[in-house]
Amino acid sequence: MTLSGTVDENSDLETPFAKLNGDLVINMKDVERVNSMGVHLWIPVMARLSAKHRVVVEEISYAFVFNANAVANLFGAARVVSCGAPYYCAACKDHVMVKVTADEVAASGGAPPSKRCPKCTAALEFDELDGYFSFFKNRSQS
Ligand SMILES: [Zn+2]
């Protein structure tokens, strides 16, 4: 399933998850915004869901990465396998969101993996603070 839009106090998080059975893959690429009320609602839903099902979360968005770094239990027992990460292409003078997997971050020792521009294939520069990927590491230790 794919989530999109905004997670806030008006989000209905119960209904979409209520009838689910078995393993679950949640793609969160299109969740653009999340506020503190949204996080507050999100945590118990995800905790319950990941206790009952095997849950894999893919491509958490920029907004969710910041919350994942701040809130240790944001995804309960779910496995987060990838996220969107901001990179900059000096050749295109353009900012691009690139999918980065937990395996790639582990392989580069927690540093931003090297990525190529999807438009011109030039090497991209990572465009965020060093701790951006730390939620991958924090999670695998817990
Ligand atoms: Zn480029």
Side-chain angles (χ1 to χ4, degrees), residues 87-117:
Y87 281 77
Y88 180 73
C89 178
C92 298
K93 295 191 168 46
D94 206 4
H95 297 270
V96 279
M97 272 290 171
V98 182
K99 177 177 164 179
V100 172
T101 68
D103 291 344
E104 288 170 340
V105 174
S108 64
S114 42
K115 290 285 181 182
R116 297 209 161 263
C117 177

PDB file of all heavy atoms in Angstrom, residues 87-117:
ATOM      1  N   TYR A  87      19.837  15.201  -2.539  1.00  0.00           N
ATOM      2  CA  TYR A  87      21.165  15.353  -3.138  1.00  0.00           C
ATOM      3  C   TYR A  87      21.118  16.566  -4.061  1.00  0.00           C
ATOM      4  O   TYR A  87      20.051  17.052  -4.439  1.00  0.00           O
ATOM      5  CB  TYR A  87      21.543  14.104  -3.941  1.00  0.00           C
ATOM      6  CG  TYR A  87      22.036  12.943  -3.104  1.00  0.00           C
ATOM      7  CD1 TYR A  87      21.139  12.147  -2.397  1.00  0.00           C
ATOM      8  CD2 TYR A  87      23.395  12.629  -3.039  1.00  0.00           C
ATOM      9  CE1 TYR A  87      21.589  11.064  -1.640  1.00  0.00           C
ATOM     10  CE2 TYR A  87      23.853  11.546  -2.289  1.00  0.00           C
ATOM     11  CZ  TYR A  87      22.951  10.771  -1.589  1.00  0.00           C
ATOM     12  OH  TYR A  87      23.395   9.709  -0.846  1.00  0.00           O
ATOM     13  N   TYR A  88      22.324  17.032  -4.416  1.00  0.00           N
ATOM     14  CA  TYR A  88      22.419  18.192  -5.310  1.00  0.00           C
ATOM     15  C   TYR A  88      23.308  17.842  -6.491  1.00  0.00           C
ATOM     16  O   TYR A  88      24.388  17.266  -6.317  1.00  0.00           O
ATOM     17  CB  TYR A  88      22.991  19.386  -4.542  1.00  0.00           C
ATOM     18  CG  TYR A  88      23.134  20.630  -5.376  1.00  0.00           C
ATOM     19  CD1 TYR A  88      22.007  21.358  -5.757  1.00  0.00           C
ATOM     20  CD2 TYR A  88      24.387  21.077  -5.797  1.00  0.00           C
ATOM     21  CE1 TYR A  88      22.124  22.502  -6.531  1.00  0.00           C
ATOM     22  CE2 TYR A  88      24.518  22.229  -6.572  1.00  0.00           C
ATOM     23  CZ  TYR A  88      23.378  22.935  -6.939  1.00  0.00           C
ATOM     24  OH  TYR A  88      23.496  24.059  -7.711  1.00  0.00           O
ATOM     25  N   CYS A  89      22.846  18.182  -7.684  1.00  0.00           N
ATOM     26  CA  CYS A  89      23.670  17.974  -8.874  1.00  0.00           C
ATOM     27  C   CYS A  89      24.263  19.313  -9.290  1.00  0.00           C
ATOM     28  O   CYS A  89      23.530  20.239  -9.665  1.00  0.00           O
ATOM     29  CB  CYS A  89      22.833  17.403 -10.025  1.00  0.00           C
ATOM     30  SG  CYS A  89      23.814  17.184 -11.526  1.00  0.00           S
ATOM     31  N   ALA A  90      25.586  19.417  -9.222  1.00  0.00           N
ATOM     32  CA  ALA A  90      26.260  20.661  -9.581  1.00  0.00           C
ATOM     33  C   ALA A  90      26.164  20.922 -11.080  1.00  0.00           C
ATOM     34  O   ALA A  90      26.126  22.069 -11.522  1.00  0.00           O
ATOM     35  CB  ALA A  90      27.722  20.607  -9.142  1.00  0.00           C
ATOM     36  N   ALA A  91      26.112  19.855 -11.872  1.00  0.00           N
ATOM     37  CA  ALA A  91      26.025  20.010 -13.330  1.00  0.00           C
ATOM     38  C   ALA A  91      24.658  20.565 -13.741  1.00  0.00           C
ATOM     39  O   ALA A  91      24.574  21.489 -14.547  1.00  0.00           O
ATOM     40  CB  ALA A  91      26.290  18.671 -14.010  1.00  0.00           C
ATOM     41  N   CYS A  92      23.596  20.001 -13.179  1.00  0.00           N
ATOM     42  CA  CYS A  92      22.240  20.468 -13.505  1.00  0.00           C
ATOM     43  C   CYS A  92      21.838  21.674 -12.653  1.00  0.00           C
ATOM     44  O   CYS A  92      20.808  22.282 -12.906  1.00  0.00           O
ATOM     45  CB  CYS A  92      21.209  19.373 -13.266  1.00  0.00           C
ATOM     46  SG  CYS A  92      21.400  17.904 -14.267  1.00  0.00           S
ATOM     47  N   LYS A  93      22.629  21.984 -11.617  1.00  0.00           N
ATOM     48  CA  LYS A  93      22.246  22.993 -10.630  1.00  0.00           C
ATOM     49  C   LYS A  93      20.842  22.710 -10.108  1.00  0.00           C
ATOM     50  O   LYS A  93      19.979  23.578 -10.067  1.00  0.00           O
ATOM     51  CB  LYS A  93      22.310  24.407 -11.221  1.00  0.00           C
ATOM     52  CG  LYS A  93      23.716  24.829 -11.593  1.00  0.00           C
ATOM     53  CD  LYS A  93      23.779  26.301 -11.921  1.00  0.00           C
ATOM     54  CE  LYS A  93      25.194  26.810 -12.008  1.00  0.00           C
ATOM     55  NZ  LYS A  93      26.093  25.938 -12.808  1.00  0.00           N
ATOM     56  N   ASP A  94      20.637  21.470  -9.715  1.00  0.00           N
ATOM     57  CA  ASP A  94      19.299  21.056  -9.327  1.00  0.00           C
ATOM     58  C   ASP A  94      19.347  20.148  -8.100  1.00  0.00           C
ATOM     59  O   ASP A  94      20.292  19.385  -7.920  1.00  0.00           O
ATOM     60  CB  ASP A  94      18.655  20.294 -10.495  1.00  0.00           C
ATOM     61  CG  ASP A  94      17.140  20.387 -10.455  1.00  0.00           C
ATOM     62  OD1 ASP A  94      16.596  21.095  -9.568  1.00  0.00           O
ATOM     63  OD2 ASP A  94      16.502  19.751 -11.300  1.00  0.00           O
ATOM     64  N   HIS A  95      18.308  20.271  -7.256  1.00  0.00           N
ATOM     65  CA  HIS A  95      18.168  19.395  -6.098  1.00  0.00           C
ATOM     66  C   HIS A  95      17.340  18.181  -6.504  1.00  0.00           C
ATOM     67  O   HIS A  95      16.321  18.339  -7.173  1.00  0.00           O
ATOM     68  CB  HIS A  95      17.476  20.133  -4.948  1.00  0.00           C
ATOM     69  CG  HIS A  95      18.276  21.298  -4.454  1.00  0.00           C
ATOM     70  ND1 HIS A  95      19.203  21.197  -3.452  1.00  0.00           N
ATOM     71  CD2 HIS A  95      18.320  22.588  -4.871  1.00  0.00           C
ATOM     72  CE1 HIS A  95      19.767  22.376  -3.242  1.00  0.00           C
ATOM     73  NE2 HIS A  95      19.246  23.239  -4.094  1.00  0.00           N
ATOM     74  N   VAL A  96      17.783  17.011  -6.112  1.00  0.00           N
ATOM     75  CA  VAL A  96      17.034  15.800  -6.438  1.00  0.00           C
ATOM     76  C   VAL A  96      16.863  14.934  -5.194  1.00  0.00           C
ATOM     77  O   VAL A  96      17.750  14.867  -4.351  1.00  0.00           O
ATOM     78  CB  VAL A  96      17.734  14.956  -7.540  1.00  0.00           C
ATOM     79  CG1 VAL A  96      17.441  15.511  -8.911  1.00  0.00           C
ATOM     80  CG2 VAL A  96      19.223  14.858  -7.302  1.00  0.00           C
ATOM     81  N   MET A  97      15.688  14.303  -5.103  1.00  0.00           N
ATOM     82  CA  MET A  97      15.445  13.326  -4.054  1.00  0.00           C
ATOM     83  C   MET A  97      15.807  11.957  -4.611  1.00  0.00           C
ATOM     84  O   MET A  97      15.296  11.552  -5.657  1.00  0.00           O
ATOM     85  CB  MET A  97      13.957  13.329  -3.663  1.00  0.00           C
ATOM     86  CG  MET A  97      13.623  14.329  -2.591  1.00  0.00           C
ATOM     87  SD  MET A  97      14.318  13.849  -1.000  1.00  0.00           S
ATOM     88  CE  MET A  97      13.973  15.344  -0.081  1.00  0.00           C
ATOM     89  N   VAL A  98      16.670  11.266  -3.912  1.00  0.00           N
ATOM     90  CA  VAL A  98      17.135   9.971  -4.389  1.00  0.00           C
ATOM     91  C   VAL A  98      16.771   8.912  -3.361  1.00  0.00           C
ATOM     92  O   VAL A  98      16.852   9.156  -2.159  1.00  0.00           O
ATOM     93  CB  VAL A  98      18.672  10.001  -4.592  1.00  0.00           C
ATOM     94  CG1 VAL A  98      19.179   8.683  -5.143  1.00  0.00           C
ATOM     95  CG2 VAL A  98      19.062  11.145  -5.514  1.00  0.00           C
ATOM     96  N   LYS A  99      16.376   7.763  -3.823  1.00  0.00           N
ATOM     97  CA  LYS A  99      16.086   6.654  -2.911  1.00  0.00           C
ATOM     98  C   LYS A  99      17.392   6.052  -2.412  1.00  0.00           C
ATOM     99  O   LYS A  99      18.269   5.707  -3.204  1.00  0.00           O
ATOM    100  CB  LYS A  99      15.252   5.604  -3.643  1.00  0.00           C
ATOM    101  CG  LYS A  99      14.961   4.377  -2.790  1.00  0.00           C
ATOM    102  CD  LYS A  99      14.080   3.425  -3.568  1.00  0.00           C
ATOM    103  CE  LYS A  99      14.086   2.041  -2.932  1.00  0.00           C
ATOM    104  NZ  LYS A  99      13.219   1.113  -3.670  1.00  0.00           N
ATOM    105  N   VAL A 100      17.507   5.951  -1.093  1.00  0.00           N
ATOM    106  CA  VAL A 100      18.690   5.360  -0.480  1.00  0.00           C
ATOM    107  C   VAL A 100      18.241   4.203   0.400  1.00  0.00           C
ATOM    108  O   VAL A 100      17.301   4.342   1.187  1.00  0.00           O
ATOM    109  CB  VAL A 100      19.451   6.412   0.366  1.00  0.00           C
ATOM    110  CG1 VAL A 100      20.566   5.759   1.167  1.00  0.00           C
ATOM    111  CG2 VAL A 100      20.017   7.508  -0.531  1.00  0.00           C
ATOM    112  N   THR A 101      18.883   3.053   0.263  1.00  0.00           N
ATOM    113  CA  THR A 101      18.472   1.891   1.055  1.00  0.00           C
ATOM    114  C   THR A 101      19.336   1.751   2.306  1.00  0.00           C
ATOM    115  O   THR A 101      20.468   2.246   2.362  1.00  0.00           O
ATOM    116  CB  THR A 101      18.591   0.587   0.240  1.00  0.00           C
ATOM    117  OG1 THR A 101      19.971   0.326  -0.007  1.00  0.00           O
ATOM    118  CG2 THR A 101      17.842   0.686  -1.079  1.00  0.00           C
ATOM    119  N   ALA A 102      18.777   1.055   3.298  1.00  0.00           N
ATOM    120  CA  ALA A 102      19.511   0.798   4.540  1.00  0.00           C
ATOM    121  C   ALA A 102      20.795   0.037   4.245  1.00  0.00           C
ATOM    122  O   ALA A 102      21.829   0.271   4.879  1.00  0.00           O
ATOM    123  CB  ALA A 102      18.622   0.015   5.502  1.00  0.00           C
ATOM    124  N   ASP A 103      20.752  -0.877   3.272  1.00  0.00           N
ATOM    125  CA  ASP A 103      21.939  -1.656   2.905  1.00  0.00           C
ATOM    126  C   ASP A 103      23.046  -0.768   2.353  1.00  0.00           C
ATOM    127  O   ASP A 103      24.221  -0.957   2.649  1.00  0.00           O
ATOM    128  CB  ASP A 103      21.578  -2.720   1.859  1.00  0.00           C
ATOM    129  CG  ASP A 103      20.697  -3.813   2.459  1.00  0.00           C
ATOM    130  OD1 ASP A 103      20.635  -3.910   3.702  1.00  0.00           O
ATOM    131  OD2 ASP A 103      20.076  -4.556   1.680  1.00  0.00           O
ATOM    132  N   GLU A 104      22.667   0.215   1.538  1.00  0.00           N
ATOM    133  CA  GLU A 104      23.659   1.131   0.972  1.00  0.00           C
ATOM    134  C   GLU A 104      24.333   1.949   2.073  1.00  0.00           C
ATOM    135  O   GLU A 104      25.551   2.171   2.050  1.00  0.00           O
ATOM    136  CB  GLU A 104      22.999   2.090  -0.038  1.00  0.00           C
ATOM    137  CG  GLU A 104      22.604   1.432  -1.344  1.00  0.00           C
ATOM    138  CD  GLU A 104      21.745   2.328  -2.228  1.00  0.00           C
ATOM    139  OE1 GLU A 104      21.136   3.299  -1.704  1.00  0.00           O
ATOM    140  OE2 GLU A 104      21.660   2.061  -3.420  1.00  0.00           O
ATOM    141  N   VAL A 105      23.533   2.408   3.032  1.00  0.00           N
ATOM    142  CA  VAL A 105      24.079   3.205   4.133  1.00  0.00           C
ATOM    143  C   VAL A 105      24.996   2.334   5.006  1.00  0.00           C
ATOM    144  O   VAL A 105      26.077   2.757   5.416  1.00  0.00           O
ATOM    145  CB  VAL A 105      22.948   3.835   4.978  1.00  0.00           C
ATOM    146  CG1 VAL A 105      23.505   4.533   6.204  1.00  0.00           C
ATOM    147  CG2 VAL A 105      22.147   4.821   4.131  1.00  0.00           C
ATOM    148  N   ALA A 106      24.581   1.086   5.243  1.00  0.00           N
ATOM    149  CA  ALA A 106      25.407   0.169   6.028  1.00  0.00           C
ATOM    150  C   ALA A 106      26.731  -0.096   5.313  1.00  0.00           C
ATOM    151  O   ALA A 106      27.798  -0.112   5.927  1.00  0.00           O
ATOM    152  CB  ALA A 106      24.653  -1.139   6.271  1.00  0.00           C
ATOM    153  N   ALA A 107      26.657  -0.264   3.982  1.00  0.00           N
ATOM    154  CA  ALA A 107      27.858  -0.549   3.195  1.00  0.00           C
ATOM    155  C   ALA A 107      28.829   0.619   3.207  1.00  0.00           C
ATOM    156  O   ALA A 107      30.046   0.434   3.110  1.00  0.00           O
ATOM    157  CB  ALA A 107      27.471  -0.899   1.757  1.00  0.00           C
ATOM    158  N   SER A 108      28.322   1.831   3.344  1.00  0.00           N
ATOM    159  CA  SER A 108      29.207   2.999   3.351  1.00  0.00           C
ATOM    160  C   SER A 108      29.516   3.434   4.784  1.00  0.00           C
ATOM    161  O   SER A 108      30.010   4.536   5.024  1.00  0.00           O
ATOM    162  CB  SER A 108      28.574   4.153   2.559  1.00  0.00           C
ATOM    163  OG  SER A 108      27.384   4.575   3.193  1.00  0.00           O
ATOM    164  N   GLY A 109      29.228   2.584   5.749  1.00  0.00           N
ATOM    165  CA  GLY A 109      29.572   2.858   7.142  1.00  0.00           C
ATOM    166  C   GLY A 109      28.778   4.000   7.756  1.00  0.00           C
ATOM    167  O   GLY A 109      29.261   4.704   8.627  1.00  0.00           O
ATOM    168  N   GLY A 110      27.555   4.193   7.295  1.00  0.00           N
ATOM    169  CA  GLY A 110      26.696   5.231   7.847  1.00  0.00           C
ATOM    170  C   GLY A 110      26.796   6.559   7.107  1.00  0.00           C
ATOM    171  O   GLY A 110      25.993   7.455   7.321  1.00  0.00           O
ATOM    172  N   ALA A 111      27.777   6.669   6.219  1.00  0.00           N
ATOM    173  CA  ALA A 111      27.933   7.902   5.437  1.00  0.00           C
ATOM    174  C   ALA A 111      26.949   7.886   4.266  1.00  0.00           C
ATOM    175  O   ALA A 111      26.466   6.831   3.876  1.00  0.00           O
ATOM    176  CB  ALA A 111      29.360   7.999   4.915  1.00  0.00           C
ATOM    177  N   PRO A 112      26.642   9.066   3.714  1.00  0.00           N
ATOM    178  CA  PRO A 112      25.745   9.094   2.551  1.00  0.00           C
ATOM    179  C   PRO A 112      26.357   8.314   1.394  1.00  0.00           C
ATOM    180  O   PRO A 112      27.500   8.565   1.028  1.00  0.00           O
ATOM    181  CB  PRO A 112      25.667  10.586   2.202  1.00  0.00           C
ATOM    182  CG  PRO A 112      26.114  11.306   3.422  1.00  0.00           C
ATOM    183  CD  PRO A 112      27.061  10.399   4.141  1.00  0.00           C
ATOM    184  N   PRO A 113      25.630   7.350   0.836  1.00  0.00           N
ATOM    185  CA  PRO A 113      26.157   6.594  -0.309  1.00  0.00           C
ATOM    186  C   PRO A 113      26.317   7.510  -1.518  1.00  0.00           C
ATOM    187  O   PRO A 113      25.563   8.479  -1.655  1.00  0.00           O
ATOM    188  CB  PRO A 113      25.075   5.547  -0.574  1.00  0.00           C
ATOM    189  CG  PRO A 113      24.012   5.745   0.423  1.00  0.00           C
ATOM    190  CD  PRO A 113      24.290   6.951   1.235  1.00  0.00           C
ATOM    191  N   SER A 114      27.282   7.206  -2.371  1.00  0.00           N
ATOM    192  CA  SER A 114      27.443   8.034  -3.567  1.00  0.00           C
ATOM    193  C   SER A 114      26.356   7.686  -4.571  1.00  0.00           C
ATOM    194  O   SER A 114      26.039   6.528  -4.798  1.00  0.00           O
ATOM    195  CB  SER A 114      28.837   7.859  -4.176  1.00  0.00           C
ATOM    196  OG  SER A 114      29.203   6.514  -4.166  1.00  0.00           O
ATOM    197  N   LYS A 115      25.776   8.735  -5.132  1.00  0.00           N
ATOM    198  CA  LYS A 115      24.661   8.577  -6.060  1.00  0.00           C
ATOM    199  C   LYS A 115      24.951   9.364  -7.321  1.00  0.00           C
ATOM    200  O   LYS A 115      25.728  10.319  -7.309  1.00  0.00           O
ATOM    201  CB  LYS A 115      23.380   9.116  -5.415  1.00  0.00           C
ATOM    202  CG  LYS A 115      22.871   8.256  -4.273  1.00  0.00           C
ATOM    203  CD  LYS A 115      22.219   7.007  -4.816  1.00  0.00           C
ATOM    204  CE  LYS A 115      21.675   6.117  -3.710  1.00  0.00           C
ATOM    205  NZ  LYS A 115      21.091   4.886  -4.259  1.00  0.00           N
ATOM    206  N   ARG A 116      24.288   8.968  -8.403  1.00  0.00           N
ATOM    207  CA  ARG A 116      24.450   9.678  -9.671  1.00  0.00           C
ATOM    208  C   ARG A 116      23.156  10.383 -10.057  1.00  0.00           C
ATOM    209  O   ARG A 116      22.071   9.920  -9.741  1.00  0.00           O
ATOM    210  CB  ARG A 116      24.880   8.718 -10.775  1.00  0.00           C
ATOM    211  CG  ARG A 116      26.230   8.104 -10.474  1.00  0.00           C
ATOM    212  CD  ARG A 116      27.014   7.735 -11.721  1.00  0.00           C
ATOM    213  NE  ARG A 116      28.419   7.598 -11.387  1.00  0.00           N
ATOM    214  CZ  ARG A 116      29.330   8.562 -11.558  1.00  0.00           C
ATOM    215  NH1 ARG A 116      28.987   9.722 -12.099  1.00  0.00           N
ATOM    216  NH2 ARG A 116      30.582   8.379 -11.215  1.00  0.00           N
ATOM    217  N   CYS A 117      23.309  11.490 -10.739  1.00  0.00           N
ATOM    218  CA  CYS A 117      22.159  12.283 -11.162  1.00  0.00           C
ATOM    219  C   CYS A 117      21.306  11.483 -12.146  1.00  0.00           C
ATOM    220  O   CYS A 117      21.821  10.948 -13.117  1.00  0.00           O
ATOM    221  CB  CYS A 117      22.639  13.576 -11.813  1.00  0.00           C
ATOM    222  SG  CYS A 117      21.294  14.594 -12.448  1.00  0.00           S
TER     223      CYS A 117
END
